């Protein structure tokens, strides 16, 4: 298990281990859902930052698969617009 501290309210979220996530995916995901790139095993994405997705090991992947590529993950302008 991984522990992930949130910055805003100091709560701790317990995240299942990589192996536990793989088991859950096998049990509940459709075979048509892609959770990896062709040159890697299944990804466990922990965060999106600008144009990157970051996995549980800290490795960055360029996110070319989602519409978020237009504005990026965690774009400060989009966040402020949502808050308003």
């Amino acid at each position: 298990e991984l522990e992930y501290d949130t910055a805003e309210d100091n709560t701790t979220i317990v995240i299942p281990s990589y192996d536990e996530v793989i088991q859950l995916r096998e049990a509940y995901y459709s075979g048509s859902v892609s959770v990896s790139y062709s040159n890697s095993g299944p990804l466990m994405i922990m965060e999106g930052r600008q144009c990157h997705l970051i996995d549980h090991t800290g490795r960055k992947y360029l996110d070319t698969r989602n519409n978020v590529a237009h504005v990026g993950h965690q774009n400060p302008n989009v966040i402020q617009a949502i808050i308003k």
Side-chain angles (χ1 to χ4, degrees):
E1 291 183 347
L2 300 171
E3 290 189 8
Y4 184 79
D5 294 323
T6 60
E8 295 175 12
D9 61 4
N10 295 325
T11 59
T12 300
I13 300 169
V14 177
I15 300 170
S17 70
Y18 180 82
D19 291 334
E20 291 170 321
V21 169
I22 299 305
Q23 289 176 351
L24 290 168
R25 286 179 179 167
E26 289 173 357
Y28 296 106
Y29 272 30
S30 165
S32 64
V33 175
S34 172
V35 293
S36 64
Y37 290 90
S38 62
N39 63 344
S40 71
L43 301 175
M44 185 170 162
I45 300 300
M46 302 298 290
E47 181 179 3
R49 198 176 313 143
Q50 297 304 328
C51 63
H52 292 103
L53 297 173
I54 303 161
D55 74 9
H56 66 292
T57 67
R59 183 175 181 176
K60 290 183 180 180
Y61 298 84
L62 181 62
D63 186 359
T64 60
R65 297 196 177 196
N66 295 301
N67 290 331
V68 76
H70 299 287
V71 295
H73 296 276
Q74 299 185 32
N75 182 300
N77 296 323
V78 173
I79 293 170
Q80 287 304 312
I82 292 169
I83 289 171
K84 289 179 183 180

